[in-house]
Amino acid sequence: MTENFERSFAEHAERLLRHERAYNEASAQNRRIIFEALSVSRITAVTVSFDGEGDSGQIEEIAVVPEGEDTLLDVLVDAVTARWTDCETVSERTPLRDVIEQVCYAALAETNGGWENNEGAFGDFRFDVANRTLTLEFNGRYMSTEYSEHSWTEEA
């Protein structure tokens, strides 16, 4: 029985590694897809705001520069996803807005896993179209306490 459990655990661990590699590959491809779609538009920058706490987190807003050009975010692009079943990447027609969100969530998971837990975190992603860079500004929240105790004897 222990042997079966160990084999099952090892197989699951291997599948997790394969899926993580496929997921990271999909995220890298999707960044290229995003920048390609944005580069043929008038959009020069995209800011994605996120906020999370108490075991919940979400994208709050996606804003584009110049303002009013956000209709491009509804255009369908050939995004890449990683399937759990066979850990392969596949292409799917997806609104650009959703691909941007997926890339941001993947970046948060990669750099700050658990960003939505406890006091959580907030921040912004900035897509700079001209330089084809994605920058994460991350603000982690934490609760701090400071304890102090003093004791004296009657002599000191």
Side-chain angles (χ1 to χ4, degrees):
M1 182 161 146
T2 302
E3 196 172 296
N4 287 341
F5 175 77
E6 288 174 0
R7 186 176 340 100
S8 176
F9 183 78
E11 289 170 358
H12 184 70
E14 173 58 31
R15 174 180 237 141
L16 279 173
L17 285 173
R18 285 193 348 257
H19 185 263
E20 182 179 2
R21 283 192 297 269
Y23 184 78
N24 291 340
E25 178 185 328
S27 186
Q29 288 181 35
N30 285 336
R31 284 192 304 273
R32 288 189 290 276
I33 289 165
I34 290 167
F35 283 116
E36 193 58 39
L38 294 174
S39 69
V40 297
S41 74
R42 292 186 34 197
I43 295 174
T44 59
V46 176
T47 301
V48 179
S49 301
F50 65 92
D51 193 6
E53 66 177 309
D55 301 338
S56 173
Q58 62 281 328
I59 300 294
E60 295 286 326
E61 177 183 25
I62 299 177
V64 300
V65 175
E67 288 184 30
E69 294 292 323
D70 55 348
T71 56
L72 175 71
L73 300 179
D74 298 322
V75 169
L76 295 176
V77 295
D78 291 320
V80 180
T81 59
R83 292 189 302 216
W84 171 250
T85 53
D86 59 5
C87 301
E88 295 293 324
T89 56
V90 294
S91 182
E92 295 179 344
R93 299 288 287 167
T94 308
L96 182 59
R97 175 184 314 276
D98 293 351
V99 181
I100 289 171
E101 284 190 13
Q102 291 167 11
V103 163
C104 291
Y105 282 126
L108 282 169
E110 178 183 340
T111 60
N112 297 283
W115 63 273
E116 72 284 9
N117 293 329
N118 302 320
E119 287 76 37
F122 66 97
D124 295 311
F125 285 94
R126 282 189 338 272
F127 289 81
D128 180 331
V129 178
N131 293 313
R132 294 177 87 94
T133 58
L134 172 59
T135 302
L136 167 59
E137 295 176 349
F138 184 86
N139 302 281
R141 295 185 190 99
Y142 63 94
M143 180 190 301
S144 176
T145 60
E146 188 174 317
Y147 173 78
S148 179
E149 181 177 304
H150 304 278
S151 294
W152 291 266
T153 66
E154 61 184 55
E155 284 118 25

